[in-house]
């Protein structure tokens, strides 16, 4: 189900009256209005943004509508779910001339330019250090600590079937624990961990340092999240490298506008706005970061990695094994 629609426009001239391009994206997508004003000024197109749940739900929506798209382009499908819409034939290949400046380094192996990298981040467990300090308690230092019921019961995790960060953490546990990952999940869930459908609920409602000031001092988020939330930190042994992509939806009747949007997502205007707006790293080389950002949100020196084709071949089986392990 589509969560909502926002129309963003600037003051430039349309190439023709009412010209627009529609972007399907996830609920967490946000950029300053001034960025879309620039898009309008440079292209003459109004951007309509349609939000459609978490990134996992977004990938499913696109995969189920090949050739009959709900928009012209899609942003927010990541490297854990990318094979679904590609295999479904739901994306139109396009190689942006701007991709050579960095985005091409994150191209999906074996793909045909169906998706273009826009940003990258690292999915990691986050800890509310202030919460622990205020109670004179020691916070966890590793994802392995969640096997202790004390920490498990303080944790908000994400369903890997509906959430791309959730799937990223599932893949992290598979990479770290290999044949024992199912036992890890059973232990964590039996210890009292909470699993919700998406990041917005976990971070903004359940996390003790989030907007809702919930009662969970451990949450699955990003290594970059502490840049936005002082008093928190990321457990850097729990990280999975996530790349978000933009793509053109096959069947769009505005192919030119969609291509212009893909190019714009790689422009200095968008790339420079990503860290402050979405707390992710830009992919284009030479993009400046906010002052102190790297100190507050350091890139992990090591992340779990599994071959994309290996993930694609086993993802559905792993998801079923996860459901069996946690009783969902």
């Amino acid at each position: 189900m589509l969560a909502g629609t926002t129309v963003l426009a600037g003051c430039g001239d349309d190439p023709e009256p009412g010209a627009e391009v529609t972007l399907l994206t996830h609920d967490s997508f946000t950029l300053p209005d001034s960025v879309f004003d620039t898009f309008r000024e440079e292209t003459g197109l109004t951007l309509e943004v349609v939000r459609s749940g978490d990134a996992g739900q977004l990938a499913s929506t696109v995969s189920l509508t090949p050739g009959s798209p709900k928009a012209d382009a899609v942003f927010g499908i990541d490297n854990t779910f990318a094979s679904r819409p590609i295999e479904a034939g739901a994306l139109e290949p396009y190689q942006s001339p701007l991709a050579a400046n960095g985005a091409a380094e994150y191209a999906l192996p074996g793909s045909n330019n169906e998706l273009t990298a826009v940003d990258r981040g690292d999915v990691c467990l986050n800890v509310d250090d202030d919460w622990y300090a205020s109670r004179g308690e020691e916070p966890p230092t590793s994802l392995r600590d969640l096997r202790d019921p004390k920490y498990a019961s303080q944790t908000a995790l994400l369903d890997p079937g509906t959430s791309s960060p959730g799937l990223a953490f599932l893949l992290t546990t598979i990479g770290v624990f290999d044949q024992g990952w199912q036992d890890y999940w059973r232990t964590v869930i039996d210890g009292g961990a909470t699993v919700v459908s998406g990041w917005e609920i976990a971070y903004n409602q359940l996390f003790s340092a989030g907007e809702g000031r919930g009662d969970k001092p451990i949450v699955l988020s990003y290594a970059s999240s502490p840049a936005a939330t002082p008093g928190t930190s990321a457990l850097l042994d729990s990280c999975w490298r996530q790349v978000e992509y933009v793509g053109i939806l096959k069947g769009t009747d505005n192919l030119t506008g969609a291509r212009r949007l893909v190019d714009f997502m790689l422009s200095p205007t968008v790339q420079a706005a990503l860290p402050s707006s979405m707390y992710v790293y830009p992919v284009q080389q030479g993009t400046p970061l906010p002052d102190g950002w790297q100190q507050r949100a350091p890139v992990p020196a090591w992340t779990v990695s599994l071959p994309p084709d290996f993930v694609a071949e086993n993802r559905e089986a792993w998801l079923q094994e996860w459901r069996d392990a946690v009783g969902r």
Side-chain angles (χ1 to χ4, degrees):
M1 181 177 293
L2 301 184
T5 302
T6 302
V7 177
L8 299 161
C11 55
D13 294 329
D14 287 339
E16 59 184 66
E20 64 179 31
V21 60
T22 302
L23 176 67
L24 186 67
T25 186
H26 52 60
D27 290 347
S28 301
F29 175 79
T30 179
L31 287 172
D33 287 351
S34 60
V35 169
F36 298 99
D37 291 345
T38 301
F39 177 69
R40 172 68 176 272
E41 292 164 1
E42 292 182 353
T43 67
L45 294 164
T46 297
L47 181 65
E48 181 182 5
V49 177
V50 179
R51 293 176 174 83
S52 183
D54 193 272
Q57 296 168 302
L58 179 67
S60 295
T61 297
V62 171
S63 301
L64 292 171
T65 55
S68 302
K70 297 178 179 295
D72 302 305
V74 59
F75 167 76
I77 294 173
D78 78 335
N79 51 319
T80 63
F81 283 109
S83 63
R84 281 184 181 176
I86 291 176
E87 292 172 358
L91 299 166
E92 182 76 29
Y94 172 62
Q95 185 171 18
S96 171
L98 300 181
N101 192 40
E105 297 178 15
Y106 299 91
L108 291 160
S111 67
N112 186 32
N113 297 305
E114 291 94 343
L115 291 168
T116 301
V118 172
D119 65 68
R120 47 165 282 264
D122 301 286
V123 176
C124 313
L125 291 168
N126 278 216
V127 174
D128 184 353
D129 298 302
D130 286 350
W131 188 95
Y132 286 98
S134 69
R135 291 160 174 77
E137 299 179 12
E138 292 296 320
T141 59
S142 167
L143 81 165
R144 292 171 171 81
D145 292 341
L146 267 60
R147 291 178 292 196
D148 182 338
K150 170 185 174 181
Y151 293 122
S153 62
Q154 297 170 349
T155 302
L157 298 174
L158 306 178
D159 187 328
T162 57
S163 164
S164 61
L167 179 56
F169 186 64
L170 173 60
L171 297 176
T172 296
T173 62
I174 292 170
V176 170
F177 298 106
D178 193 16
Q179 298 302 313
W181 67 266
Q182 298 95 334
D183 290 335
Y184 173 84
W185 277 96
R186 290 188 191 98
T187 300
V188 171
I189 297 303
D190 289 347
T194 298
V195 178
V196 295
S197 61
W199 180 89
E200 290 280 352
I201 297 172
Y203 200 91
N204 290 328
Q205 297 181 28
L206 301 183
F207 188 38
S208 55
E211 294 176 2
R213 300 294 172 181
D215 62 358
K216 302 292 184 182
I218 307 170
V219 70
L220 185 63
S221 192
Y222 293 87
S224 51
S225 298
T229 312
T232 68
S233 62
L235 300 185
L236 298 184
D237 77 332
S238 65
C239 302
W240 173 274
R241 175 63 49 83
Q242 182 185 58
V243 181
E244 287 190 304
Y245 297 90
V246 64
I248 298 172
L249 294 173
K250 183 164 288 186
T252 173
D253 57 6
N254 189 3
L255 185 59
T256 298
R259 287 175 173 172
R260 289 180 179 178
L261 178 57
V262 171
D263 293 343
F264 185 69
M265 295 297 285
L266 299 183
S267 71
T269 299
V270 172
Q271 291 288 300
L274 288 169
S276 296
S277 299
M278 297 177 64
Y279 296 95
V280 290
Y281 280 90
V283 295
Q284 293 289 76
Q285 298 173 5
T287 304
L289 296 173
D291 291 341
W293 212 75
Q294 284 181 307
Q295 288 70 42
R296 299 192 303 273
V299 176
W302 172 86
T303 58
V304 175
S305 178
L306 297 173
D309 56 348
F310 183 56
V311 173
E313 291 169 7
N314 293 279
R315 182 181 55 231
E316 299 308 318
W318 287 336
L319 286 171
Q320 187 56 54
E321 289 181 55
W322 178 83
R323 295 185 190 101
D324 294 341
V326 304
R328 291 174 73 92

